[in-house]
mmCIF file of all heavy atoms in Angstrom:
data_model
loop_
_atom_site.group_PDB
_atom_site.id
_atom_site.type_symbol
_atom_site.label_atom_id
_atom_site.label_comp_id
_atom_site.label_asym_id
_atom_site.label_seq_id
_atom_site.Cartn_x
_atom_site.Cartn_y
_atom_site.Cartn_z
ATOM 1 N N ILE F 268 41.997 11.534 20.821
ATOM 2 C CA ILE F 268 41.159 12.680 20.529
ATOM 3 C C ILE F 268 41.621 13.855 21.378
ATOM 4 O O ILE F 268 41.882 13.714 22.565
ATOM 5 C CB ILE F 268 39.667 12.375 20.765
ATOM 6 C CG1 ILE F 268 39.406 11.844 22.162
ATOM 7 C CG2 ILE F 268 39.172 11.380 19.745
ATOM 8 C CD1 ILE F 268 37.929 11.650 22.436
ATOM 9 N N PRO F 269 41.788 15.020 20.725
ATOM 10 C CA PRO F 269 42.297 16.171 21.467
ATOM 11 C C PRO F 269 41.283 16.652 22.500
ATOM 12 O O PRO F 269 40.080 16.488 22.318
ATOM 13 C CB PRO F 269 42.514 17.219 20.371
ATOM 14 C CG PRO F 269 41.651 16.794 19.244
ATOM 15 C CD PRO F 269 41.494 15.315 19.325
ATOM 16 N N GLN F 270 41.786 17.233 23.585
ATOM 17 C CA GLN F 270 40.922 17.827 24.602
ATOM 18 C C GLN F 270 40.054 18.921 23.976
ATOM 19 O O GLN F 270 40.478 19.606 23.067
ATOM 20 C CB GLN F 270 41.788 18.504 25.681
ATOM 21 C CG GLN F 270 42.539 17.548 26.567
ATOM 22 C CD GLN F 270 41.667 17.053 27.696
ATOM 23 O OE1 GLN F 270 40.756 17.751 28.111
ATOM 24 N NE2 GLN F 270 41.918 15.833 28.166
ATOM 25 N N VAL F 271 38.851 19.061 24.496
ATOM 26 C CA VAL F 271 38.036 20.203 24.086
ATOM 27 C C VAL F 271 38.443 21.375 24.961
ATOM 28 O O VAL F 271 38.422 21.256 26.176
ATOM 29 C CB VAL F 271 36.545 19.913 24.288
ATOM 30 C CG1 VAL F 271 35.706 21.073 23.793
ATOM 31 C CG2 VAL F 271 36.147 18.630 23.591
ATOM 32 N N GLY F 299 33.965 21.178 18.752
ATOM 33 C CA GLY F 299 35.088 20.254 18.804
ATOM 34 C C GLY F 299 34.874 19.052 19.704
ATOM 35 O O GLY F 299 35.786 18.245 19.888
ATOM 36 N N GLU F 300 33.673 18.955 20.260
ATOM 37 C CA GLU F 300 33.439 17.841 21.166
ATOM 38 C C GLU F 300 32.776 16.678 20.429
ATOM 39 O O GLU F 300 31.984 16.875 19.518
ATOM 40 C CB GLU F 300 32.528 18.298 22.315
ATOM 41 C CG GLU F 300 32.421 17.298 23.436
ATOM 42 C CD GLU F 300 31.563 17.826 24.578
ATOM 43 O OE1 GLU F 300 30.643 18.635 24.335
ATOM 44 O OE2 GLU F 300 31.808 17.410 25.716
ATOM 45 N N ILE F 301 33.096 15.457 20.858
ATOM 46 C CA ILE F 301 32.447 14.278 20.299
ATOM 47 C C ILE F 301 31.631 13.625 21.410
ATOM 48 O O ILE F 301 32.179 13.220 22.430
ATOM 49 C CB ILE F 301 33.464 13.266 19.744
ATOM 50 C CG1 ILE F 301 34.400 13.951 18.737
ATOM 51 C CG2 ILE F 301 32.737 12.094 19.088
ATOM 52 C CD1 ILE F 301 35.478 13.053 18.192
ATOM 53 N N LEU F 302 30.319 13.580 21.187
ATOM 54 C CA LEU F 302 29.432 12.948 22.167
ATOM 55 C C LEU F 302 29.035 11.578 21.628
ATOM 56 O O LEU F 302 28.557 11.455 20.495
ATOM 57 C CB LEU F 302 28.182 13.811 22.368
ATOM 58 C CG LEU F 302 27.081 13.181 23.232
ATOM 59 C CD1 LEU F 302 27.498 13.127 24.688
ATOM 60 C CD2 LEU F 302 25.773 13.951 23.088
ATOM 61 N N GLY F 303 29.238 10.554 22.436
ATOM 62 C CA GLY F 303 28.842 9.210 22.007
ATOM 63 C C GLY F 303 27.501 8.834 22.617
ATOM 64 O O GLY F 303 27.197 9.224 23.730
ATOM 65 N N ALA F 462 36.282 17.091 14.246
ATOM 66 C CA ALA F 462 36.079 17.644 15.578
ATOM 67 C C ALA F 462 37.193 18.631 15.912
ATOM 68 O O ALA F 462 36.939 19.718 16.431
ATOM 69 C CB ALA F 462 36.026 16.515 16.611
ATOM 70 N N LEU F 481 36.085 6.934 20.783
ATOM 71 C CA LEU F 481 35.911 8.083 19.908
ATOM 72 C C LEU F 481 35.298 9.291 20.612
ATOM 73 O O LEU F 481 35.330 10.385 20.081
ATOM 74 C CB LEU F 481 35.002 7.654 18.740
ATOM 75 C CG LEU F 481 35.230 8.251 17.362
ATOM 76 C CD1 LEU F 481 36.682 8.125 16.943
ATOM 77 C CD2 LEU F 481 34.349 7.507 16.354
ATOM 78 N N SER F 482 34.722 9.084 21.811
ATOM 79 C CA SER F 482 33.918 10.153 22.398
ATOM 80 C C SER F 482 34.595 10.816 23.589
ATOM 81 O O SER F 482 35.333 10.177 24.337
ATOM 82 C CB SER F 482 32.571 9.594 22.874
ATOM 83 O OG SER F 482 32.046 8.719 21.927
ATOM 84 N N HIS F 483 34.298 12.109 23.747
ATOM 85 C CA HIS F 483 34.711 12.806 24.965
ATOM 86 C C HIS F 483 33.779 12.457 26.101
ATOM 87 O O HIS F 483 34.192 12.347 27.254
ATOM 88 C CB HIS F 483 34.683 14.328 24.749
ATOM 89 C CG HIS F 483 35.715 14.795 23.776
ATOM 90 N ND1 HIS F 483 35.402 15.125 22.479
ATOM 91 C CD2 HIS F 483 37.054 14.969 23.896
ATOM 92 C CE1 HIS F 483 36.507 15.510 21.851
ATOM 93 N NE2 HIS F 483 37.520 15.415 22.689
ATOM 94 N N ARG F 484 32.501 12.366 25.771
ATOM 95 C CA ARG F 484 31.485 12.009 26.783
ATOM 96 C C ARG F 484 30.564 10.969 26.169
ATOM 97 O O ARG F 484 30.431 10.896 24.949
ATOM 98 C CB ARG F 484 30.644 13.231 27.152
ATOM 99 C CG ARG F 484 31.314 14.167 28.126
ATOM 100 C CD ARG F 484 30.383 15.297 28.470
ATOM 101 N NE ARG F 484 29.952 16.066 27.305
ATOM 102 C CZ ARG F 484 28.686 16.353 27.028
ATOM 103 N NH1 ARG F 484 27.711 15.913 27.809
ATOM 104 N NH2 ARG F 484 28.382 17.065 25.961
ATOM 105 N N ILE F 485 29.905 10.203 27.031
ATOM 106 C CA ILE F 485 29.000 9.167 26.532
ATOM 107 C C ILE F 485 27.663 9.247 27.254
ATOM 108 O O ILE F 485 27.614 9.341 28.488
ATOM 109 C CB ILE F 485 29.616 7.764 26.748
ATOM 110 C CG1 ILE F 485 30.870 7.634 25.893
ATOM 111 C CG2 ILE F 485 28.620 6.671 26.368
ATOM 112 C CD1 ILE F 485 31.812 6.605 26.392
ATOM 113 N N PHE F 497 28.533 9.274 31.089
ATOM 114 C CA PHE F 497 29.877 8.892 31.522
ATOM 115 C C PHE F 497 30.893 9.778 30.824
ATOM 116 O O PHE F 497 30.618 10.334 29.764
ATOM 117 C CB PHE F 497 30.184 7.447 31.132
ATOM 118 C CG PHE F 497 29.289 6.434 31.786
ATOM 119 C CD1 PHE F 497 28.172 5.960 31.126
ATOM 120 C CD2 PHE F 497 29.568 5.962 33.060
ATOM 121 C CE1 PHE F 497 27.343 5.021 31.713
ATOM 122 C CE2 PHE F 497 28.739 5.023 33.659
ATOM 123 C CZ PHE F 497 27.621 4.551 32.983
ATOM 124 N N ASP F 498 32.091 9.903 31.426
ATOM 125 C CA ASP F 498 33.154 10.552 30.664
ATOM 126 C C ASP F 498 33.974 9.465 29.971
ATOM 127 O O ASP F 498 33.701 8.285 30.118
ATOM 128 C CB ASP F 498 34.009 11.468 31.545
ATOM 129 C CG ASP F 498 34.785 10.684 32.584
ATOM 130 O OD1 ASP F 498 34.891 9.450 32.430
ATOM 131 O OD2 ASP F 498 35.271 11.298 33.544
ATOM 132 N N ARG F 499 35.000 9.890 29.233
ATOM 133 C CA ARG F 499 35.653 8.921 28.365
ATOM 134 C C ARG F 499 36.469 7.875 29.114
ATOM 135 O O ARG F 499 36.931 6.908 28.523
ATOM 136 C CB ARG F 499 36.511 9.609 27.308
ATOM 137 C CG ARG F 499 37.669 10.412 27.828
ATOM 138 C CD ARG F 499 38.510 10.920 26.679
ATOM 139 N NE ARG F 499 39.373 9.882 26.131
ATOM 140 C CZ ARG F 499 39.281 9.346 24.934
ATOM 141 N NH1 ARG F 499 38.354 9.709 24.120
ATOM 142 N NH2 ARG F 499 40.129 8.427 24.521
#
Side-chain angles (χ1 to χ4, degrees):
Chain F
I268 54 175
Q270 289 276 332
V271 183
E300 190 177 29
I301 306 177
L302 172 71
L481 214 51
S482 317
H483 293 102
R484 281 183 302 129
I485 295 157
F497 297 96
D498 66 16
R499 63 174 282 113

